Amino acid sequence: MKTFYRLFLTVAAFLAVAVPASAQDAALTLDERVNAGFSAATGWFVNFIFMSIPGTNFPWIVMWLVIGASVFTIYFAAVQFRFFGHAIGLVKGDYSDPNDAGEVSHFQALATALSGTVGLGNIAGVAVAVGIGGPGATFWMILAGLLGMASKFTECTLGVKYRNEYPDGTVSGGPMYYISKGFDELGLPGGKILAVLFSVFCILGAFGGGNMFQANQAHAAITGITGDYPGYITGFLFAAVVFAVIVGGVKSIAKVTEKIVPFMGIMYVGAALIVLIVNFDMIGWAFGQIFAGAFSSLGIAGGVVGALIQGFKRAAFSNEAGVGSAAIAHSAVKTKEPITEGFVSLLEPLIDTVVICTMTALVIVISQQLIIDADTGNYVMNEAGSAIATVDGNTGVALTAAAFGSAISWFPFVLAIAVILFAFSTMISWSYYGLKAWTYLFGEGKTTELVFKVIFCIFIVIGAAASLGPVIDFSDAAIFAMAVVNIFCLYFLMKVVRVELESYSNRLKAGEIKKFKH
């Protein structure tokens, strides 16, 4: 509670700064006063989380995530490749016992976690990465995605192992539970403090990056087609739909995500495949650019290192491997074998980063939106020298739209639908993540849950109606602060996962793990 008392004082400080103290301040809009308050009070925290390693443009938090993923890959002997086939079988339900404790199936847990990571970053973030780091960034993005599979495996196994199972059949799990219970089991100090810290960061991330930012981008996508109108209208509509879904708990969320996520993926990847088919003769050249750009400069600012930084950054920010959020969703799965959900979860970075992000990058490269010098074969930089020049000067989501539009004239409408669906699915997943962190701090109960859900929906309206840049930046920083706590604790707990892995692997080889007929 002391942590929340400090948090209350911080919020009070924000409000104090936001209240106009002079005629000049009164001329500012409410958005501007809130932005000024948040920026003044939290700028140091945001700058610290996203600070670059001295002498480089490489954010230390990205290095933290990539090193963690590499350690887990080595420690578990490339588990993401050795058990990939078994993971597919688990998702199909081949080993699912309907009598196991839990609330959702392996597939529903995977869909819920994916809906929280597959989003605008797959559309706009990849365009930024390729625009700055060139096609070579795609290679490093794929490598980081493959390594991140081991991080997901580790955290989601622990999420199931240390979850709380209640008499009514519901469960609660995630990093806050495996940190506190796991540290106690191993006789390590500080587990409860770290769990509370993680929970605070998770709640802040859920309200901002997992909510307000999504509502804001959804409103922007809609107004791009319909024309401008008040954001609160979009906010109220989204809030009503989101509340109708999340009020039913994780089972309701899972029922929605298991339908939306496959639809989103098929729609987006299908559109990408159409572009690739139309430009079939360019596919070999595009892959050549990706591999060449990964190991040579091709005229890109920063050269190979610049491509590596952008690729790793995009993968880390996209699949959230090591952040710990997915472990909360996977903890609700029906299973008595914690390691099985670790296997299922390792598919997330593969789908999110290796498939969907790579599809976006391929379309951008193959559509030749990036300008190349015909004489040298190198990419032409923009006037500022900060990114590759594009055909119409597009960046971010506009670059992706232009790339798809080169083969599909009506793609802006598909893109708008994709952004809206991505935003909606992200919001309902992050509502569950924030809820579990909330109930960890304040206790389980219908009233406690309802309070959080109402607050969450209020923030949807605020996010759609207002432009609160520093507030969102602070929330994004909180999400990656979750990774600082989570990965630190995973280093101590990964030996628990190895015991589970060796036990299950031996029983699987001995034929003791049976398939179920459904």
Side-chain angles (χ1 to χ4, degrees), residues 12-254:
F14 295 160
L15 295 176
V17 177
V19 172
S22 65
Q24 183 177 2
D25 290 339
L28 298 175
T29 65
L30 179 61
D31 284 11
E32 290 170 336
R33 291 201 301 272
V34 173
N35 280 341
F38 262 81
S39 183
T42 67
W44 66 271
F45 177 71
V46 176
N47 292 336
F48 170 71
I49 292 296
F50 295 116
M51 180 178 65
S52 295
I53 297 171
T56 74
N57 292 319
F58 206 150
W60 73 270
I61 189 63
V62 175
M63 181 66 77
W64 177 256
L65 289 164
V66 172
I67 289 176
S70 302
V71 169
F72 300 137
T73 296
I74 295 169
Y75 187 76
F76 295 112
V79 64
Q80 60 265 57
F81 305 115
R82 293 191 294 123
F83 286 89
F84 179 80
H86 188 62
I88 298 296
L90 288 164
V91 172
K92 288 165 57 184
D94 292 348
Y95 300 88
S96 298
D97 184 346
N99 297 315
D100 283 343
E103 298 184 76
V104 298
S105 68
H106 286 297
F107 177 75
Q108 288 175 323
L110 177 64
T112 300
L114 270 173
S115 71
T117 56
V118 176
L120 195 64
N122 300 80
I123 300 173
V126 174
V128 172
V130 174
I132 297 175
T138 309
F139 175 87
W140 300 110
M141 182 174 66
I142 292 171
L143 177 61
L146 293 173
L147 292 173
M149 294 166 74
S151 298
K152 290 273 187 175
F153 163 79
T154 308
E155 62 192 8
C156 291
T157 298
L158 291 168
V160 177
K161 181 173 177 60
Y162 291 107
R163 68 184 179 182
N164 284 356
E165 298 175 3
Y166 303 109
D168 63 355
T170 61
V171 298
S172 290
M176 48 279 189
Y177 290 94
Y178 63 65
I179 292 171
S180 58
K181 295 167 75 173
F183 271 46
D184 281 348
E185 185 179 285
L186 297 176
L188 299 172
K192 287 184 171 58
I193 296 173
L194 290 167
V196 168
L197 188 61
F198 178 90
S199 298
V200 171
F201 288 142
C202 185
I203 292 169
L204 294 172
F207 284 148
N211 180 332
M212 295 171 67
F213 175 72
Q214 304 301 324
N216 192 278
Q217 293 303 305
H219 177 67
I222 295 170
T223 54
I225 296 175
T226 64
D228 197 29
Y229 66 89
Y232 67 82
I233 297 176
T234 299
F236 278 120
L237 289 172
F238 263 82
V241 177
V242 168
F243 186 78
V245 173
I246 67 176
V247 74
V250 70
K251 290 183 179 179
S252 176
I253 294 172

Side-chain angles (χ1 to χ4, degrees), residues 152-509:
K152 290 273 187 175
F153 163 79
T154 308
E155 62 192 8
C156 291
T157 298
L158 291 168
V160 177
K161 181 173 177 60
Y162 291 107
R163 68 184 179 182
N164 284 356
E165 298 175 3
Y166 303 109
D168 63 355
T170 61
V171 298
S172 290
M176 48 279 189
Y177 290 94
Y178 63 65
I179 292 171
S180 58
K181 295 167 75 173
F183 271 46
D184 281 348
E185 185 179 285
L186 297 176
L188 299 172
K192 287 184 171 58
I193 296 173
L194 290 167
V196 168
L197 188 61
F198 178 90
S199 298
V200 171
F201 288 142
C202 185
I203 292 169
L204 294 172
F207 284 148
N211 180 332
M212 295 171 67
F213 175 72
Q214 304 301 324
N216 192 278
Q217 293 303 305
H219 177 67
I222 295 170
T223 54
I225 296 175
T226 64
D228 197 29
Y229 66 89
Y232 67 82
I233 297 176
T234 299
F236 278 120
L237 289 172
F238 263 82
V241 177
V242 168
F243 186 78
V245 173
I246 67 176
V247 74
V250 70
K251 290 183 179 179
S252 176
I253 294 172
K255 286 178 181 177
V256 173
T257 56
E258 73 173 343
K259 296 177 178 64
I260 288 182
V261 170
F263 175 74
M264 289 191 311
I266 292 170
M267 179 183 70
Y268 191 76
V269 173
L273 287 173
I274 292 174
V275 177
L276 297 181
I277 291 170
V278 170
N279 297 281
F280 180 77
D281 58 322
M282 300 289 290
I283 293 177
W285 173 83
F287 275 107
Q289 290 290 296
I290 289 172
F291 285 107
F295 301 103
S296 62
S297 69
L298 291 182
I300 305 300
V304 176
V305 176
L308 183 148
I309 290 172
Q310 291 302 320
F312 277 4
K313 183 190 296 185
R314 179 67 263 140
F317 288 2
S318 178
N319 61 49
E320 297 175 9
V323 169
S325 53
I328 301 174
H330 285 284
S331 297
V333 74
K334 293 178 180 178
T335 185
K336 61 177 177 290
E337 297 280 1
I339 204 76
T340 58
E341 199 55 24
F343 295 142
V344 170
S345 69
L346 60 78
L347 297 174
E348 281 176 48
L350 179 76
I351 297 169
D352 176 276
T353 305
V354 180
V355 176
I356 297 179
C357 286
T358 301
M359 279 292 190
T360 301
L362 270 176
V363 168
I364 292 171
V365 174
I366 212 168
S367 63
Q368 296 183 291
Q369 292 294 309
L370 307 176
I371 298 176
I372 299 177
D373 187 314
D375 296 327
T376 64
N378 289 335
Y379 287 91
V380 178
M381 302 301 291
N382 60 16
E383 291 183 5
S386 58
I388 300 173
T390 57
V391 174
D392 296 312
N394 293 316
T395 59
V397 70
L399 176 58
T400 304
F404 277 91
S406 65
I408 312 170
S409 60
W410 40 264
F411 182 75
F413 295 98
V414 176
L415 186 66
I417 293 171
V419 170
I420 292 166
L421 288 175
F422 287 163
F424 172 68
S425 64
T426 299
M427 282 190 279
I428 61 176
S429 290
W430 270 94
S431 74
Y432 182 69
Y433 301 158
L435 173 65
K436 288 304 171 183
W438 182 272
T439 56
Y440 178 81
L441 294 172
F442 297 113
E444 303 283 346
K446 296 294 182 184
T447 302
T448 307
E449 292 184 5
L450 185 61
V451 168
F452 174 83
K453 291 171 183 177
V454 170
I455 295 173
F456 188 86
C457 290
I458 290 172
F459 272 93
I460 294 176
V461 180
I462 296 172
S467 177
L468 303 171
V471 178
I472 303 300
D473 290 342
F474 174 67
S475 174
D476 285 345
I479 290 175
F480 287 98
M482 290 163 60
V484 178
V485 178
N486 187 48
I487 290 180
F488 172 77
C489 295
L490 289 180
Y491 288 139
F492 293 97
L493 297 172
M494 61 186 184
K495 59 185 177 183
V496 176
V497 179
R498 184 154 70 176
V499 172
E500 292 281 334
L501 177 60
E502 291 174 352
S503 171
Y504 185 87
S505 179
N506 291 335
R507 285 181 288 129
L508 184 64
K509 291 176 182 177

